[in-house]
Amino acid sequence: MYSRWLRNSFLYLILIVAVVAIVFAFFQGGDDHQKIGYGQVVEDAKSGLVQEIEIDGRNLTVTYVTSSPDAEPDVKSAKIGSNSEIEKLLADAGVALSRPAGTGAGVAAVNLEYKDSSGFGPWLSLLLNVLPFLLFGLFLLLIMRQAQGSNSQAMSFGKSRARLFTGSKVTVTFADVAGVDESKEELAEVVEFLKYPEKFAALGARIPKGVLLVGPPGTGKTLLSRAVAGEAGVPFFSISGSEFVEMFVGVGASRVRDLFEQAKKNAPCIVFVDEIDAVGRQRGAGLGGSHDEREQTLNQILVEMDGFDTGTNVIVIAATNRPDILDPALLRPGRFDRKVVLDAPDVKGREAILGVHAKGKPIADDVKLSVLSKATAGFSGADLANLVNEAAILAARRNKKIITMKEFEEAVDRVILGPERKSKVMSELEKKVTAYHEGGHAIVAHFLKHHDPVHKVTIVSRGMSGGHTRFIGEDTSYHTPAMFKDRMASALGGLAAEEMIFGEASTGPSSDIQQVTRIARSMVTRWGMSKKLGPRTFGKAEELVFLGREISETRDYSEKVAENIDDEVRELIDEAHQAASRILAERRPLLDKLAGVLMDVETLEGETLLRLLNSNPDEPWPPAGSDAAPPESPVTPPASGEAPPRPAFEPKPAPGLAWEGGNQTRADG
C-alpha cells in the first residue's frame, strides 16, 4: 500500500511540473513587442529617440520617447550578440547612460537598466523540449512495472506464506509455560531429538514425524509450540491451516510443497500448523464432492509427512480443538506419532499459571493464588492470563501502586459475568426479591452434604445477571448421583425462596430451571443414573462434519420409554425442589437475616459469609467487636398470618445458577 501511494504521488508530481512548465511557457511566449536589430537601437539612441533600455542577458527591451506625457510609449525588443557589450557600443556612439527626467527627443542619452536574470529561462526551455519524451517514458515504465508486479503476484500464489523464526532470539521457553507438566515432558523429548539425534540413533530409535496438540481453546497449544522452538534453538516455521486454501485450484497443494521444501533446506527444523482442522477434515465428507481443493491440500500434506522421502529431520507440530473430525490417515503413526492432550488446568495447574502471569507485577501480600485457583474452576490458561490483566487494569484505574486481593476478586467476576452495571437502578422490591433469591441459593448449598462450599453472594448486577452466588471446591473428574442431586437442589433454592417469601416465583429462576432440567435429563439419558431405567443411554446425537455441532437427535427408544424418561426427570426435579424447600423452611430466620444483610451491604464473601451462615439467626449482625456496619434497614418479612405480597415481576434476566465444564463454579442470574 505504501509503494502504491508513493508511485501515485510521483506521477502526480510529474503532472504538476508539466502543467507549471506549460503555464510559464505560455506567459513567456505572449510577448508581442516589435523586434528590431541592436544596431538600429544604437542609431536610435544616438538620435535621441530612446528613453530607456532594459537588459536581461542578451535580450533588450527598448522604450522610445513619447511626443506627449499622456501618450503610450513605444516598446520594442532586440537581441545582442553573445560577445557584444551594449554599454561600450553606446559610449562609442556618444550616448550618455543617464537621461534626465523630462528630457525630450533629440538628446543622445538613455536610462540603462540591468534586470537580474535567474537563469531559469534556458532550463525552462530545455525542460519544455524534453518534457513530452520524459512523460512518455515514465508512462511506459509504470505500465511495465505494473504488469511485472501482477505477473509476480500471480506466480507467487503457490508460494508458502509461513513465517520463519530462526531461533536466535528466544522469546518463549518451557519456563513460561505452566499447568501442563505432562505435555511439557512429551515435547521435551522432541527437543532432545532435535538437539541430540545421535543419542537416539544409537539405539535404533527414529525421530517422530509429527506431534498433534489437542485441547480446548486457550489451553496453551500455540504457546507450547513456541516454547519448543525456543528450547530447541532450530528454525521454526509457523502457518495457519486456513492459509493453504485459496479460491484457485492447486494453490493449497503448491503451498504445502513449497513449505516443506523450505523446511528441508533449513533442517533440522519445526513446522507448526495452527488450526489444522481447516485442511485436515475427513475426506469424502464435504458438501461439494469428494475431490475438492481442500482434499488436494490434505493429500499433499499426507505425502510430504510420510512419502518416499523419509530421511529429513523435519518435525511437524499441529494444533486443533477438533480432533474428532480429522482424517484417519493424518492421525496414524508415521505422520502424527504423538498426540498431546492439553486439558483445562486443575487447581494446582491454575495456581502455577497465575504465578507465571503474576511474575513481574506488584502483587500485595494479601493476594492468595491458592484461593484464586479454587475460585476459577474451569478456567483455561487464556482466561487466567486475562484475569491477571483485568486485575492490573482495575488497580491502575483506582490509582493504586500494587494489585490487591480485592482487584483479583472483582476481576474473577468480570471474567465470568462481565462488568458491574452501576447505572442500573433497582427498586426496593426488585432488590428484596434478588436478596431472597441469592440467599436461597447460598443457604441450601451450605447445608447440603455433597455440595461445594459457598464463597460469595452478591446482588450487584453484572452482565445479564441481577446477582450471583459463587462456589469453590476441589476439581474432580467423577460425579455421583448425590452430587448432582445437591446441585439441583441448590439451583432451585432461589425458586423455593421466592415461593416461600412472596407466594409465587418470578422469571428470575428461568436459567436455574433450564440448568436443572439439563442435569436431570443427562442423569437419565446419558449417565445411566436412573433406578427405573437402569444403566443405559437413550438417544444418539447427530452432527455434520462441516458444522461441528449437534443438529438433531436420533431416538432409539419407544414412546413408552420416552414417557418413563419424562417421569424420571420430573421425579428428580421434584425431589430437588422439595429438598430445597425443606431446608429453607427449617432455616427461615437465617434466610431473613441473610437477605437483610445483602440488602444493606450487597456483597458477602469468604469468611464473613461463612460466619453469617453459621451464626445464630436471633443474634444481631454484625456481632459485637466486628468492623462491619450494622444493617440500616433490615428486610421485614411478611408475617405468617398475612397474605404474602404479589409483586408484578417483569420478565428480565435475574438470578440463577450456572456451572462450567461440569464443575459448579458460580451461580448467576
Side-chain angles (χ1 to χ4, degrees):
M1 183 176 178
Y2 177 75
S3 60
R4 183 183 302 174
W5 178 85
L6 187 62
R7 185 168 60 250
N8 295 336
S9 302
F10 184 69
L11 181 60
Y12 293 149
L13 180 61
I14 295 295
L15 293 176
I16 292 173
V17 171
V19 171
V20 171
I22 294 173
V23 171
F24 267 93
F26 176 78
F27 283 104
Q28 282 197 349
D31 188 8
D32 56 354
H33 296 163
Q34 182 182 356
K35 297 185 182 299
I36 60 175
Y38 76 91
Q40 183 64 42
V41 174
V42 176
E43 290 295 327
D44 292 342
K46 185 178 179 180
S47 302
L49 302 177
V50 180
Q51 176 71 29
E52 182 182 25
I53 298 177
E54 186 181 83
I55 303 173
D56 184 7
R58 295 173 56 190
N59 298 317
L60 304 179
T61 303
V62 184
T63 304
Y64 284 81
V65 179
T66 59
S67 57
S68 64
D70 298 332
E72 188 74 22
D74 186 17
V75 180
K76 298 180 181 181
S77 61
K79 184 179 289 266
I80 63 175
S82 58
N83 297 322
S84 300
E85 297 182 3
I86 189 66
E87 293 185 10
K88 186 176 183 299
L89 293 175
L90 293 174
D92 293 342
V95 180
L97 301 181
S98 176
R99 188 179 185 88
T103 304
V107 179
V110 296
N111 289 327
L112 193 62
E113 294 184 2
Y114 285 89
K115 185 178 180 180
D116 293 335
S117 178
S118 60
F120 185 70
W123 291 104
L124 182 59
S125 178
L126 180 63
L127 179 62
L128 290 176
N129 294 328
V130 178
L131 186 61
F133 301 97
L134 181 62
L135 290 177
F136 185 72
L138 289 174
F139 182 70
L140 290 179
L141 180 62
L142 290 176
I143 292 179
M144 294 176 61
R145 292 192 62 179
Q146 187 173 4
Q148 185 180 2
S150 302
N151 186 34
S152 64
Q153 186 177 5
M155 298 302 295
S156 66
F157 277 147
K159 299 295 183 181
S160 172
R161 299 184 179 181
R163 293 160 295 278
L164 174 61
F165 303 92
T166 59
S168 58
K169 189 176 180 181
V170 179
T171 57
V172 181
T173 62
F174 282 152
D176 302 315
V177 184
V180 285
D181 295 338
E182 294 81 4
S183 303
K184 285 197 304 185
E185 290 179 2
E186 290 287 328
L187 293 175
E189 292 186 2
V190 175
V191 175
E192 205 168 356
F193 266 115
L194 293 171
K195 284 186 173 182
Y196 314 106
E198 65 279 355
K199 174 182 176 182
F200 299 91
L203 298 175
R206 61 176 179 84
I207 189 170
K209 290 295 184 63
V211 180
L212 184 63
L213 304 180
V214 179
T219 51
K221 300 184 293 293
T222 305
L223 181 65
L224 195 56
S225 65
R226 291 169 58 193
V228 171
E231 291 286 345
V234 297
F236 182 77
F237 292 88
S238 177
I239 193 171
S240 174
S242 60
E243 296 183 44
F244 288 113
V245 182
E246 292 277 358
M247 63 179 290
F248 302 99
V249 178
V251 172
S254 176
R255 288 180 177 176
V256 172
R257 287 192 296 270
D258 184 69
L259 171 62
F260 279 89
E261 286 178 4
Q262 296 181 35
K264 292 173 184 177
K265 293 178 182 178
N266 293 273
C269 66
I270 297 174
V271 175
F272 175 65
V273 183
D274 201 6
E275 305 296 342
I276 195 174
D277 52 276
V279 294
R281 293 176 182 263
Q282 186 174 354
R283 291 170 291 181
L287 302 177
S290 60
H291 190 72
D292 56 3
E293 171 65 11
R294 181 187 55 79
E295 291 191 2
Q296 293 186 38
T297 306
L298 175 58
N299 292 335
Q300 189 64 43
I301 293 176
L302 297 177
V303 172
E304 293 290 347
M305 290 190 67
D306 192 20
F308 285 102
D309 187 12
T310 59
T312 58
N313 290 335
V314 178
I315 297 180
V316 181
I317 300 179
T320 181
N321 50 21
R322 292 300 309 274
D324 54 318
I325 64 175
L326 295 180
D327 194 275
L330 195 63
L331 301 176
R332 74 162 176 83
R335 291 196 173 105
F336 284 104
D337 303 272
R338 294 188 177 184
K339 181 186 294 183
V340 179
V341 179
L342 284 82
D343 203 355
D346 56 9
V347 60
K348 292 184 178 179
R350 291 194 298 272
E351 185 175 354
I353 294 173
L354 288 172
V356 170
H357 293 294
K359 191 178 300 180
K361 294 181 175 62
I363 306 297
D365 296 334
D366 64 337
V367 176
K368 298 180 179 179
L369 299 181
S370 58
V371 176
L372 291 174
S373 64
K374 293 180 180 180
T376 52
F379 275 41
S380 64
D383 293 330
L384 295 172
N386 186 33
L387 168 65
V388 178
N389 186 59
E390 286 288 342
I393 292 174
L394 287 172
R397 187 182 301 169
R398 296 168 181 174
N399 297 322
K400 293 185 176 181
K401 301 296 184 182
I402 58 175
I403 310 172
T404 64
M405 191 67 178
K406 185 178 180 181
E407 280 76 38
F408 278 103
E409 290 281 356
E410 187 171 348
V412 173
D413 294 337
R414 288 178 66 90
V415 173
I416 294 175
L417 300 170
E420 179 180 339
R421 291 191 295 169
K422 298 180 180 179
S423 60
K424 182 182 180 182
V425 180
M426 299 176 63
S427 63
E428 285 298 319
L429 178 60
E430 194 175 9
K431 196 173 182 180
K432 182 177 179 180
V433 172
T434 306
Y436 272 103
H437 184 107
E438 299 300 334
H441 287 314
I443 290 176
V444 173
H446 182 70
F447 291 99
L448 288 173
K449 181 179 179 182
H450 303 283
H451 202 282
D452 293 328
V454 184
H455 179 67
K456 183 176 182 178
V457 182
T458 181
I459 60 174
V460 177
S461 299
R462 286 184 178 273
M464 298 297 294
S465 69
H468 69 278
T469 304
R470 195 165 76 238
F471 312 98
I472 60 172
E474 299 294 335
D475 293 330
T476 178
S477 302
Y478 300 96
H479 299 84
T480 63
M483 297 169 65
F484 285 123
K485 289 179 179 180
D486 286 359
R487 290 185 177 183
M488 289 191 295
S490 68
L492 295 176
L495 172 67
E498 291 186 17
E499 292 176 343
M500 178 182 298
I501 302 300
F502 304 102
E504 61 183 359
S506 67
T507 58
S510 59
S511 60
D512 303 333
I513 297 173
Q514 294 176 7
Q515 189 72 30
V516 168
T517 304
R518 185 164 62 249
I519 293 176
R521 182 165 290 277
S522 298
M523 290 177 64
V524 176
T525 61
R526 294 176 56 192
W527 301 324
M529 296 181 178
S530 172
K531 294 181 180 180
K532 185 176 182 180
L533 299 175
R536 179 188 166 185
T537 60
F538 300 93
K540 181 180 179 181
E542 295 183 353
E543 64 180 31
L544 289 177
V545 173
F546 276 87
L547 294 181
R549 61 181 63 187
E550 295 182 4
I551 60 172
S552 64
E553 184 180 9
T554 303
R555 291 182 57 174
D556 54 359
Y557 49 88
S558 63
E559 291 294 334
K560 183 179 180 180
V561 175
E563 292 180 2
N564 293 332
I565 292 175
D566 292 338
D567 293 339
E568 286 289 284
V569 172
R570 178 60 184 267
E571 184 177 345
L572 289 172
I573 295 176
D574 289 344
E575 182 182 345
H577 188 203
Q578 293 172 5
S581 300
R582 182 178 66 256
I583 293 175
L584 293 178
E586 295 173 354
R587 295 165 176 86
R588 169 67 183 274
L590 182 60
L591 176 62
D592 296 333
K593 182 179 180 180
L594 177 58
V597 175
L598 284 176
M599 287 198 62
D600 181 61
V601 300
E602 295 185 344
T603 300
L604 290 170
E605 58 185 334
E607 296 182 359
T608 305
L609 176 60
L610 293 179
R611 242 186 0 256
L612 191 148
L613 293 175
N614 294 323
S615 65
N616 190 341
D618 298 330
E619 295 179 355
W621 184 265
S626 176
D627 296 333
E632 297 179 359
S633 56
V635 177
T636 305
S640 57
E642 298 178 359
R646 301 179 61 86
F649 296 109
E650 298 179 359
K652 61 179 65 177
L657 283 177
W659 290 268
E660 182 79 21
N663 293 318
Q664 188 176 3
T665 59
R666 62 187 184 269
D668 57 342

